[in-house]
Amino acid sequence: MKEKLLAIKDAAEQMLAANAPLEEVRVRFLGKKGELTAVLRGMGSLSAEERPIIGALANEIRQFIEQKIEAKAAELKAKENEKKLQSEKLDVTAPGKEIAFGSRHPLAAVEKEMCDIFRSMGFEVVEGPEVEYDYYNFQALNIPENHPARDTQDTFYITDNILLRSQTSPVQVRTMEKKRPPIRVVSPGRVYRSDAVDATHSPVFHQMEGLVVDKGITMGDLKGMLELFAKKMFGSETKLRFRPHHFPFTEPSAEVDVSCFVCGGKGCRLCKGEGWIEILGAGMVHPNVLRGCGIDPEEYSGFAFGMGIERIVMRKWNIDDMRYLYENDVRFLKQFK
């Protein structure tokens, strides 16, 4: 039996040296039906003196085979890892792949710049709902039902009393209802009007309106503030033109234009041949609007203004068609990184 055990040891070594599958070696020699197990089952035929000797030898050979299998497994694992490292080796000196970074949309970038300018002048930025009541969008702004001014601000109605706001002026009314003068706020946001799409109009666009209410506010304060904003936004050489106008919620009122940046004032498609581009409307807050918000027009006065952010973007970057801003063409947008 001793010879059988030694033969099993030699056979196991030979198989491992020949890179036989490790599981095959384990099953052949150490499994329940393996050769070493078969020898141990025959130990009952041995004498009492031989059993401990053969038993010790069998355990020694079992441990020997198990250690050889573990050592071979570790060796194969190390070779596999080395091969994997070689196949996955990176050349750290090779140029890396360019990572594409996004940037703010030109509309968002200009809106932020405008907000920063007004904050530097002491304004607070406030927001309000895009789905608005007729009262805040029209009635509280001195535009009662059937007033002709509603035609120029025709918007999209959800019910007879709920609509998509046609301007951010409702935020001014909501602010005056909640806050007492002095008030100095700007309200940027998206607005809606049933306009046909062309180079300077869209049914969905962005607007920023401002409001100042305090004692002793005059039209001169409004003009000075707008000129300061224009110079910060467009440069120190910027020229503005104030034209008398009518808005139901301001009195007196004015339209404010900048000279056309495409034709230089000669007249073109963008400025509709006029040489000037309207960028905002402004005026002194109508007493009826102040009174409706619980502010005494005999004690306080104020001015308000509103401008389309798209037109500011176009003026700032010499864009001649606002539809470019909505088409999501990366070739166009990446110019503004």
Side-chain angles (χ1 to χ4, degrees):
M1 190 171 285
K2 181 178 179 180
E3 290 75 13
K4 285 185 178 181
L5 290 173
L6 294 175
I8 290 173
K9 179 181 177 182
D10 292 340
E13 277 192 288
Q14 291 174 9
M15 287 188 67
L16 290 171
N19 294 322
L22 299 181
E23 183 63 13
E24 181 180 326
V25 176
R26 187 192 67 77
V27 171
R28 175 178 171 178
F29 298 106
L30 305 179
K32 291 182 179 181
K33 298 181 181 180
E35 295 181 14
L36 184 59
T37 306
V39 172
L40 292 174
R41 286 174 180 171
M43 288 180 64
S45 62
L46 299 176
S47 64
E49 293 79 9
E50 291 179 315
R51 286 176 189 170
I53 298 172
I54 297 301
L57 180 60
N59 287 331
E60 181 183 332
I61 292 175
R62 176 184 289 277
Q63 291 177 3
F64 174 81
I65 295 174
E66 288 177 344
Q67 291 172 358
K68 285 291 185 180
I69 290 175
E70 291 178 0
K72 192 66 175 181
E75 179 187 342
L76 294 175
K77 181 67 175 178
K79 289 182 178 179
E80 181 183 349
N81 288 339
E82 181 64 23
K83 183 178 180 181
K84 188 175 181 181
L85 288 172
Q86 290 298 325
S87 64
E88 296 179 357
K89 187 176 180 180
L90 296 177
D91 182 1
V92 295
T93 65
K97 294 182 179 179
E98 182 180 357
I99 300 175
F101 290 96
S103 61
R104 282 193 176 91
H105 190 280
L107 283 170
V110 167
E111 180 180 309
K112 180 181 183 300
E113 184 178 358
M114 293 168 66
C115 287
D116 290 343
I117 291 173
F118 283 113
R119 283 194 182 101
S120 72
M121 292 191 284
F123 284 77
E124 176 187 0
V125 178
V126 295
E127 296 181 346
E130 294 181 18
V131 180
E132 190 56 276
Y133 289 105
D134 181 274
Y135 171 79
Y136 286 104
N137 197 74
F138 290 121
Q139 299 175 40
L141 295 169
N142 205 34
I143 308 176
E145 189 176 358
N146 298 322
H147 193 286
R150 292 196 178 209
D151 293 340
T152 60
Q153 295 188 24
D154 189 21
T155 184
F156 304 93
Y157 284 80
I158 299 172
T159 69
D160 290 341
N161 190 42
I162 300 176
L163 46 80
L164 300 182
R165 66 182 182 186
S166 60
Q167 53 201 350
T168 57
S169 300
V171 182
Q172 299 178 13
V173 176
R174 290 177 177 274
T175 300
M176 287 189 286
E177 287 182 342
K178 298 175 182 177
K179 186 176 181 180
R180 297 297 88 188
I183 297 172
R184 186 177 295 184
V185 297
V186 289
S187 52
R190 187 161 41 211
V191 298
Y192 306 83
R193 296 184 187 179
S194 55
D195 289 339
V197 177
D198 60 26
T200 57
H201 294 85
S202 170
V204 182
F205 60 101
H206 299 77
Q207 195 176 57
M208 176 176 287
E209 300 200 14
L211 171 72
V212 173
V213 179
D214 203 349
K215 294 181 179 180
I217 299 297
T218 68
M219 193 76 173
D221 297 316
L222 169 62
K223 188 173 184 293
M225 185 278 301
L226 290 178
E227 287 181 343
L228 178 58
F229 164 76
K231 290 182 184 299
K232 285 188 174 184
M233 192 73 202
F234 304 120
S236 58
E237 302 300 320
T238 301
K239 295 181 180 179
L240 300 181
R241 181 179 73 172
F242 289 76
R243 292 181 288 108
H245 196 72
H246 171 261
F247 296 114
F249 36 85
T250 56
E251 180 60 38
S253 307
E255 292 277 18
V256 183
D257 307 330
V258 294
S259 56
C260 180
F261 50 84
V262 173
C263 65
K266 298 178 181 179
C268 67
R269 179 172 66 96
L270 180 62
C271 65
K272 297 181 173 60
E274 296 179 1
W276 293 86
I277 298 175
E278 172 197 336
I279 61 167
L280 62 90
M284 300 300 293
V285 180
H286 198 288
N288 289 347
V289 176
L290 294 174
R291 194 176 293 111
C293 295
I295 298 175
D296 185 0
E298 298 296 328
E299 183 178 2
Y300 294 99
S301 59
F303 64 74
F305 58 90
M307 63 189 84
I309 298 178
E310 279 83 352
R311 294 192 179 186
I312 302 297
V313 173
M314 294 168 70
R315 170 65 178 87
K316 185 175 180 63
W317 279 315
N318 293 350
I319 301 171
D320 62 0
D321 193 322
M322 69 186 298
R323 288 170 289 194
Y324 294 142
L325 300 173
Y326 308 133
E327 293 174 348
N328 295 324
D329 190 331
V330 176
R331 297 170 300 176
F332 172 78
L333 296 176
K334 69 180 181 181
Q335 302 177 77
F336 304 96
K337 285 188 176 182

